[in-house]
Amino acid sequence: MYEEYFGMKNLPFTRDVPANRLYESSSMADALGRLCYAADRQLFVVVTADSGCGKSTLIRKFSAALPSESYILLYLSDSKLTPRWFYKGMLDQLGVESRYYRGDAKRQLQKEIEIIRGVRRKKVVCVLDEAHLLERETIEEFRFLLNYNFDSMSPMALVLVGQSELWDKLKLQRYAAVRQRIDINCVLPHLERYETEQYIKSHLAYSECPQQEIFTERAIDDIYKETTGIPRLINRFCEKSLMYAAQQQKRLIDEHIVRYVAENEMLSGV
């Protein structure tokens, strides 16, 4: 395995890198700060990005940043989420058996949140992932959920996370009432070339590899061109390049290795 060949203690380009060791671009840091602000103020947030551009990473960092003594984080990811199952999913995570009818479940959820806020002195944050796949009925339900106590307060922070088409969907006239309630809109862009280099170096540092300079400048140039700065694709390129370099007994990954990987190993991905 390449980690043995390069003397790595940790695998650098996998999904299970600890949240506090994941590379944080300036855009990621800005989005994280805005999410933490939204959690404190109980706001409605939309986070969008192209596939592979760090939405899951952002949510992992956000979850790790919320102190458990002050917040309860609810996480839902279901493309077929109806309003009833939306409420049921949140109540299940709160350890409460949901009532069958949507209206009853919504009132039940609001009551539980009142107890959490008033008795336990905690704030509730609901993160709804893959939100670009939600149907109209569920999206429109959010304005009724957030219309609480004569619209004078929000019962929770609600974070919709989805691919870029989520915002295109929300711009439709039919969602005007929902869109007007959005407090913060975060967009995660592709990494720039210098950020791609920092991303690779950061993950190699996490690996504790004795040889930190493994990728040449021209190799990083080509990785950036092939991936257009998408972190998920950067991971795949780097991992496959490391595997091929170890097989060929090469200590440096140059543009020739990256080109080989692009032409022979990435046929199903880029």
Side-chain angles (χ1 to χ4, degrees), residues 32 35-36 39 58-66 73 125 127 159:
L32 180 59
L35 283 179
C36 290
L58 174 62
I59 297 308
R60 285 178 62 194
K61 283 180 168 288
F62 178 47
S63 176
L66 292 180
L73 179 70
V125 179
V127 175
V159 182

Side-chain angles (χ1 to χ4, degrees), residues 84 87-89 91-92 96-101 104-105 108:
R84 176 175 174 263
Y87 292 123
K88 184 180 186 306
L91 287 166
D92 284 347
V96 178
E97 185 176 353
S98 172
R99 293 174 182 166
Y100 182 80
Y101 292 105
D104 292 338
Q108 194 178 8

Side-chain angles (χ1 to χ4, degrees), residues 111-124:
K111 181 178 179 181
E112 289 298 323
I113 291 175
E114 285 182 358
I115 293 172
I116 291 169
R117 292 168 63 100
V119 178
R120 299 171 62 182
R121 300 295 180 184
K122 290 187 177 185
K123 296 178 179 179
V124 176

Side-chain angles (χ1 to χ4, degrees), residues 8-213:
M8 297 175 176
K9 295 182 181 179
N10 303 301
L11 289 173
F13 298 105
T14 59
R15 295 181 180 180
D16 58 355
V17 176
N20 65 337
R21 298 300 302 272
L22 291 165
Y23 173 71
E24 189 173 287
S25 66
S26 58
S27 297
M28 180 75 70
D30 177 67
L32 180 59
R34 297 173 81 186
L35 283 179
C36 290
Y37 176 83
D40 178 61
R41 300 298 180 92
Q42 301 283 266
L43 304 179
F44 182 16
V45 187
V46 173
V47 178
T48 57
D50 289 343
S51 179
C53 279
K55 297 184 296 296
S56 296
T57 297
L58 174 62
I59 297 308
R60 285 178 62 194
K61 283 180 168 288
F62 178 47
S63 176
L66 292 180
S68 58
E69 65 272 14
S70 301
Y71 295 93
I72 293 179
L73 179 70
L74 308 177
Y75 176 84
L76 295 172
S77 179
D78 185 351
S79 62
K80 302 298 183 183
L81 199 66
T82 63
R84 176 175 174 263
W85 286 100
F86 171 65
Y87 292 123
K88 184 180 186 306
M90 288 194 289
L91 287 166
D92 284 347
Q93 292 187 45
L94 293 174
V96 178
E97 185 176 353
S98 172
R99 293 174 182 166
Y100 182 80
Y101 292 105
R102 175 182 15 181
D104 292 338
K106 180 172 68 174
R107 287 187 288 273
Q108 194 178 8
L109 175 66
Q110 290 172 336
K111 181 178 179 181
E112 289 298 323
I113 291 175
E114 285 182 358
I115 293 172
I116 291 169
R117 292 168 63 100
V119 178
R120 299 171 62 182
R121 300 295 180 184
K122 290 187 177 185
K123 296 178 179 179
V124 176
V125 179
C126 178
V127 175
L128 193 53
D129 207 350
E130 303 295 338
H132 58 284
L133 300 174
L134 294 176
E135 298 293 337
R136 177 176 180 174
E137 184 184 20
T138 304
I139 293 176
E140 291 182 336
E141 185 68 22
F142 299 143
R143 69 188 178 101
F144 299 113
L145 172 65
L146 299 174
N147 185 7
Y148 182 67
N149 198 15
F150 299 103
D151 213 17
S152 63
M153 61 175 288
S154 175
M156 67 173 73
L158 179 61
V159 182
L160 303 187
V161 183
Q163 295 184 16
S164 300
E165 56 261 37
L166 170 61
W167 191 246
D168 294 333
K169 179 184 288 189
L170 291 173
K171 287 192 293 186
L172 296 175
Q173 182 58 35
R174 71 183 65 151
Y175 298 123
V178 177
R179 189 173 63 251
Q180 290 165 8
R181 294 182 179 276
I182 297 171
D183 299 295
I184 298 175
N185 177 35
C186 297
V187 179
L188 292 178
H190 294 208
L191 299 180
E192 300 288 350
R193 193 306 185 172
Y194 77 93
E195 292 175 319
T196 299
E197 181 171 357
Q198 292 303 310
Y199 180 94
I200 293 172
K201 289 183 175 181
S202 173
H203 284 247
L204 286 175
Y206 164 71
S207 76
E208 299 186 35
C209 178
Q211 177 190 345
Q212 287 294 301
E213 300 295 330

